[in-house]
Amino acid sequence: ETGVTQTPRHLVMGMTNKKSLKCEQHLGHNAMYWYKQSAKKPLELMFVYSLEERVENNSVPSRFSPECPNSSHLFLHLHTLQPEDSALYLCASSHVTDTDTQYFGPGTRLTVL
Amino acid sequence: AQSVTQPDIHITVSEGASLELRCNYSYGATPYLFWYVQSPGQGLQLLLKYFSGDTLVQGIKGFEAEFKRSQSSFNLRKPSVHWSDAAEYFCAVGNGGGADGLTFGKGTHLIIQP
């Protein structure tokens, strides 16, 4: 595998479910990001991890919980989501020395029923 | 706070015709500017970026963009589009460092007519 991969690609969950999104980067990067992409809205930065430490949390509801166990892996744990959380969730990675040049995964299309 | 405006939600271009997608930004210092493309069902792919130096930047797939500080613009161009260029295009501005994300525009949907 090369680049940034995300699993699953599609996820349908009920409001009471607990699920996790996974992201893996094969680029030797050491910063990782979660973005939310909703229809007709710009990409919204959710979380930033730099050298496995969380450095940014843009007022994201606590029903979203990120985890970065090492520099290659990033998770987004989901619980008691709302229908308005349905969106495409994109993971990205970069070097900490060049955080503006980010490489994106294909995203997970999440539908909350 | 930095912001990006892409004034065109949709653009329709005939195959073989030239293309220009508009992007205006708001940023207090010298911006780091990017164009990304997103094909249906895919993530974002970096087309090109501007950090400093020559204001005309060459990217992949035959795209280029020109930074114009006086107009706060970073328009994307291609001399001759191909049907495979149909996609969503996003302009973004970065703050040049620090563990921070990019600020994206809402995107322009490019439609290619045969």
Side-chain angles (χ1 to χ4, degrees), chain B residues 55-76:
Chain B
T55 56
L56 186 62
V57 180
Q58 301 298 319
I60 61 171
K61 304 186 179 189
F63 285 94
E64 66 177 27
E66 186 171 13
F67 170 59
K68 293 185 177 180
R69 184 187 299 275
S70 61
Q71 299 177 19
S72 297
S73 69
F74 188 58
N75 294 348
L76 182 71

Side-chain angles (χ1 to χ4, degrees), chain A residues 51-103:
Chain A
L51 302 173
E52 300 160 39
E53 298 273 337
R54 190 194 307 182
V55 295
E56 188 85 18
N57 177 351
N58 281 354
S59 303
V60 179
S62 59
R63 57 186 182 269
F64 295 91
S65 174
E67 178 190 3
C68 187
N70 55 63
S71 61
S72 298
H73 293 86
L74 184 66
F75 294 89
L76 187 62
H77 303 299
L78 316 171
H79 64 98
T80 59
L81 294 192
Q82 304 297 312
E84 60 264 28
D85 296 322
S86 298
L88 182 68
Y89 288 84
L90 292 164
C91 172
S93 70
S94 75
H95 287 293
V96 293
T97 55
D98 185 10
T99 56
D100 285 329
T101 304
Q102 297 177 16
Y103 294 83

Side-chain angles (χ1 to χ4, degrees), chain B residues 43-54:
Chain B
L44 278 67
Q45 181 182 18
L46 180 63
L47 284 176
L48 49 78
K49 60 185 178 183
Y50 170 78
F51 283 2
S52 65
D54 193 347

Side-chain angles (χ1 to χ4, degrees), chain A:
Chain A
E1 290 271 22
T2 58
V4 182
T5 58
Q6 290 186 242
T7 55
R9 294 294 307 276
H10 299 272
L11 178 62
V12 180
M13 59 187 290
M15 293 169 61
T16 58
N17 292 158
K18 290 185 180 180
K19 296 287 184 183
S20 296
L21 310 185
K22 179 183 176 182
C23 174
E24 183 173 2
Q25 60 92 6
H26 310 267
L27 300 169
H29 290 161
N30 44 22
M32 298 187 78
Y33 312 79
W34 279 117
Y35 287 87
K36 177 182 179 182
Q37 185 179 28
S38 304
K40 303 188 189 310
K41 293 177 67 176
L43 270 73
E44 302 170 57
L45 178 65
M46 300 176 71
F47 301 104
V48 180
Y49 276 83
S50 177
L51 302 173
E52 300 160 39
E53 298 273 337
R54 190 194 307 182
V55 295
E56 188 85 18
N57 177 351
N58 281 354
S59 303
V60 179
S62 59
R63 57 186 182 269
F64 295 91
S65 174
E67 178 190 3
C68 187
N70 55 63
S71 61
S72 298
H73 293 86
L74 184 66
F75 294 89
L76 187 62
H77 303 299
L78 316 171
H79 64 98
T80 59
L81 294 192
Q82 304 297 312
E84 60 264 28
D85 296 322
S86 298
L88 182 68
Y89 288 84
L90 292 164
C91 172
S93 70
S94 75
H95 287 293
V96 293
T97 55
D98 185 10
T99 56
D100 285 329
T101 304
Q102 297 177 16
Y103 294 83
F104 285 78
T108 295
R109 173 67 64 188
L110 174 66
T111 302
V112 182
L113 301 176

